[in-house]
Amino acid sequence: MSIPMGTMALRRGLLLALLAGLAVLGNACPVPLCFSVQILLGSIASTLALLWLRGWWNVPIAAMASLYTWTLWGHPWAIVIFSAEALWLALFVNRFSGPPANDLNGRIIVADVVFWLLVGTPLVFFLYGSVLNIDPTSVAVTAAKQAVNGVANTVVAFLLFVLLQLRRHSHGKGLLPLRGLVFSVVPASIILPSLGVTLLSCSQLQRSTQEGVLENLRTVGEAAGRIDPLQLGEASRGLPASIGSAAFLLTDTEGNQISSNPGLFLRLANHFQPTPPKQVELNGLQMLVPRERRPALKVWINGYWSTTLTSPRYLVQVVEPAAPAVLKLQEQSTRLLLTLFWVMLLGILLSEAMAWLMERQLQMLGPPLPVDREGSGPSASLEPEAPEYSSSIIEVQELASRLQEQNQRVLRLSQDLNVVSADFKQSIERQRQIISTDLLTGTHNRSELQKRLAQVCDRARACSVPLSCLAFSVRGLRQINTFHGRPKGDEILQLLIADVRQLLHANDELFRIGGSEFLLLLWDHPLESARSTAEQIRTIVTETGVPQDNGSTPKLAMNAGVSLLAATDTSG
């Protein structure tokens, strides 16, 4: 039952709205990787929209979902990169992939890898490094993360697309190619666990980094809490602090403050603020970041770790620049992500190799049976071709051998069937001739006349030609049968009719309607021509030689009648 166009458009619109909402939700719920670096899931929904519905809807869906990154990361350039990825995949599917059936071959994953190698990664380095002036370490981890993120999302989208296709097949709709199964199972089984391990590793690295920072700050704070105020000099002067070292601020019970770097703590109090607690995993550790709006990667690099301790004399606040720890963690995360990317690339190449190998192995299971174009079955005159190569897989080789044996059996049965079919056709033809032919004279019989008379008359009217009917009977045969036997009479009748046939044209038809009665349908014969033919037949009859009877030579005679169906006669 066909679905109305309006209903189909409504369903398509609802599906697009659902996928767009899932794309926004996927980006609004990022998975943290390390400082200011998150895994986004929104492109799964936009790529699934491309595979399921085709067209170009995935591009606006991806652009709309990536708007959230402006708030998340503090710059609009991620929108450009994610929209470019969606446009690249849309171009591949709609222009180069071929018919929709090819969407199941998994080549969209390869296309996404090519995008990140040729376009995406260089675009990240240009926009983040040259436009945003972010440090190379942060740019490298961002480029590695986005490449891994994009390819992983495409793998997940393709896996979901295959699962949806399997669900359609369970309802009797559509088939799934072997290559699609390979490209959904193998990359997903390699990439998704590897991505999970990488996320856990990055989380452990970030936690261990924060633990090291907190331990260092507490060590400095405990040492500062035991300092004698007389060793510090005047509070306004403070202590000289080397670049990159920890600084502390001592506050006594009366509110007096002594700092190792007063200018730093003044700047922190006026221009910095703590990050939300969920961004720092350890209790007692804070990250102070600049108040002004800037890209998230610059926020953490320019931030300070901070912790507060209580000693018998002072409330001690210790701070330390975050850049060394953040850059070290980003370097480690970059190595992990690059390793993951090469594992992903290896998995995709392995999928391509496995798909090619399996397709090649299945090709040797035997060529299709040669089909007889004139019939409906295999051709019995052709032998099955042998496989061009042998399989290195035992099970495939055994299956190929069994299929070849079955092909041989089918062809032998086909040959036998063709022989039986030919005999059957000949038998049917013989039966038809027996039913419609007079066995003695070879002319048509009376039943055939009843079938063909109306047809011949209709054809004569359609062609506007005269049709004459000549009926004649041979007298004298009974006397020959009485005195010389029926075989002799039959022989004379056969000779006579054979001579009559010599007079007929190709379209004329002769019927035996009785023992010695015959009827001729003379095509395109006017009445005079039919009478002339009757006289010729009379001559043949009278001149036919018969055996002598008691010294006398009996003669055969003929009675005849002629009628005409004129070319203009429509009375029937």
Side-chain angles (χ1 to χ4, degrees):
M1 183 176 64
S2 60
I3 301 176
M5 293 297 294
T7 304
M8 291 182 61
L10 177 62
R11 291 183 180 179
R12 185 182 182 91
L14 292 175
L15 181 58
L16 285 172
L18 175 62
L19 291 173
L22 291 175
V24 174
L25 182 63
N27 285 348
C29 301
V31 179
L33 186 65
C34 61
F35 304 112
S36 299
V37 180
Q38 296 93 4
I39 297 292
L40 303 182
L41 306 177
S43 64
I44 296 176
S46 62
T47 305
L48 184 60
L50 172 64
L51 291 170
W52 192 250
L53 302 174
R54 279 207 157 198
W56 304 88
W57 287 105
N58 69 308
V59 179
I61 289 176
M64 179 178 64
S66 59
L67 289 174
Y68 179 76
T69 62
W70 200 337
T71 301
L72 182 65
W73 294 332
H75 63 84
W77 299 115
I79 303 173
V80 176
I81 297 172
F82 296 151
S83 299
E85 180 190 17
L87 180 60
W88 177 282
L89 295 180
L91 283 171
F92 173 78
V93 170
N94 294 307
R95 293 290 184 266
F96 303 104
S97 179
N102 291 346
D103 296 343
L104 287 165
N105 61 17
R107 293 288 170 76
I108 190 174
I109 300 175
V110 179
D112 198 47
V113 171
V114 173
F115 168 80
W116 286 108
L117 289 176
L118 300 183
V119 180
T121 301
L123 200 58
V124 171
F125 275 96
F126 172 73
L127 294 176
Y128 282 67
S130 300
V131 178
L132 295 177
N133 292 319
I134 294 176
D135 63 280
T137 303
S138 298
V139 174
V141 71
T142 302
K145 187 277 302 183
Q146 291 197 8
V148 169
N149 196 172
V151 175
N153 285 355
T154 302
V155 170
V156 173
F158 183 72
L159 178 61
L160 293 175
F161 180 56
V162 169
L163 293 177
L164 289 172
Q165 188 69 15
L166 287 175
R167 183 177 180 275
R168 291 183 68 231
H169 178 63
S170 65
H171 291 79
K173 299 178 181 179
L175 295 174
L176 187 66
L178 177 63
R179 177 178 289 272
L181 284 174
V182 172
F183 261 92
S184 61
V185 173
V186 176
S189 61
I190 294 176
I191 293 172
L192 297 184
S194 301
L195 180 60
V197 171
T198 302
L199 290 174
L200 290 176
S201 300
C202 289
S203 176
Q204 291 297 324
L205 282 173
Q206 180 167 328
R207 184 174 183 85
S208 63
T209 298
Q210 293 180 6
E211 288 175 348
V213 169
L214 181 59
E215 183 179 358
N216 181 58
L217 292 178
R218 284 176 174 174
T219 301
V220 174
E222 291 172 356
R226 294 192 293 267
I227 293 178
D228 186 350
L230 297 177
Q231 298 175 350
L232 298 177
E234 298 179 3
S236 60
R237 184 181 64 185
L239 294 176
S242 60
I243 298 176
S245 63
F248 58 85
L249 174 65
L250 304 178
T251 304
D252 60 17
T253 56
E254 297 178 358
N256 298 317
Q257 293 183 338
I258 303 175
S259 172
S260 64
N261 194 335
L264 172 62
F265 280 97
L266 181 62
R267 187 159 57 89
L268 291 177
N270 294 331
H271 302 290
F272 283 71
Q273 63 183 2
T275 60
K278 64 179 181 179
Q279 295 187 9
V280 180
E281 299 180 1
L282 298 180
N283 292 328
L285 183 65
Q286 273 189 332
M287 170 68 78
L288 302 177
V289 295
R291 296 178 186 274
E292 66 268 19
R293 183 174 178 82
R294 61 178 65 187
L297 290 172
K298 288 186 176 182
V299 168
W300 287 84
I301 292 295
N302 292 280
Y304 285 84
W305 299 110
S306 174
T307 190
T308 302
L309 302 176
T310 302
S311 69
R313 294 181 178 180
Y314 305 105
L315 180 66
V316 183
Q317 180 185 5
V318 186
V319 297
E320 180 183 76
V326 172
L327 292 176
K328 182 178 179 181
L329 178 60
Q330 287 181 345
E331 290 176 356
Q332 295 171 333
S333 299
T334 301
R335 287 193 290 269
L336 285 174
L337 290 170
L338 287 177
T339 302
L340 175 58
F341 183 79
W342 291 116
V343 169
M344 296 169 67
L345 185 59
L346 179 62
I348 293 169
L349 294 177
L350 179 63
S351 301
E352 181 69 29
M354 288 183 62
W356 176 84
L357 178 61
M358 295 180 71
E359 289 175 345
R360 183 171 175 81
Q361 292 295 322
L362 291 177
Q363 287 174 358
M364 71 157 298
L365 295 182
L369 290 175
V371 177
D372 184 3
R373 297 299 180 185
E374 297 181 356
S376 58
S379 173
S381 61
L382 299 177
E383 294 295 332
E385 298 179 2
E388 296 181 358
Y389 62 93
S390 297
S391 174
S392 57
I393 302 176
I394 296 176
E395 291 78 7
V396 175
Q397 182 65 42
E398 292 178 351
L399 180 58
S401 300
R402 288 197 297 269
L403 287 176
Q404 289 297 320
E405 293 175 1
Q406 292 295 331
N407 286 349
Q408 292 281 0
R409 293 176 185 173
V410 170
L411 286 174
R412 285 195 293 269
L413 290 175
S414 178
Q415 291 174 349
D416 296 340
L417 180 61
N418 287 342
V419 172
V420 173
S421 177
D423 293 341
F424 182 68
K425 289 180 180 179
Q426 292 177 0
S427 177
I428 291 177
E429 182 63 23
R430 286 195 299 269
Q431 291 295 327
R432 191 190 66 80
Q433 291 179 356
I434 291 173
I435 293 173
S436 63
T437 305
D438 178 63
L439 297 181
L440 177 62
T441 61
T443 62
H444 298 304
N445 57 23
R446 188 182 189 92
S447 62
E448 187 70 9
L449 173 64
Q450 295 174 351
K451 294 178 182 179
R452 304 185 64 170
L453 181 59
Q455 298 175 0
V456 176
C457 291
D458 291 341
R459 186 158 57 93
R461 292 192 191 95
C463 297
S464 300
V465 297
L467 177 67
S468 294
C469 178
L470 170 60
F472 66 93
S473 64
V474 180
R475 291 186 293 109
L477 290 174
R478 182 176 298 178
Q479 183 179 3
I480 296 175
N481 292 338
T482 301
F483 291 101
H484 300 282
R486 177 171 289 276
K488 190 63 177 178
D490 291 344
E491 179 184 352
I492 293 173
L493 184 59
Q494 289 175 339
L495 293 174
L496 188 150
I497 294 302
D499 292 338
V500 171
R501 280 185 166 180
Q502 299 295 323
L503 302 176
L504 304 182
H505 298 150
N507 290 330
D508 298 338
E509 299 190 53
L510 178 60
F511 301 86
R512 186 183 183 187
I513 58 177
S516 59
E517 291 84 21
F518 296 87
L519 186 140
L520 261 174
L521 294 179
L522 301 173
W523 181 263
D524 199 13
H525 279 256
L527 194 58
E528 291 300 325
S529 177
R531 288 173 179 169
S532 175
T533 301
E535 290 300 327
Q536 293 176 345
I537 295 175
R538 185 188 301 278
T539 301
I540 292 174
V541 171
T542 56
E543 293 180 354
T544 298
V546 297
Q548 294 183 352
D549 180 21
N550 297 327
S552 62
T553 303
K555 295 288 186 180
L556 296 178
M558 184 188 81
N559 294 331
V562 178
S563 64
L564 174 67
L565 177 66
T568 57
D569 187 359
T570 60
S571 62

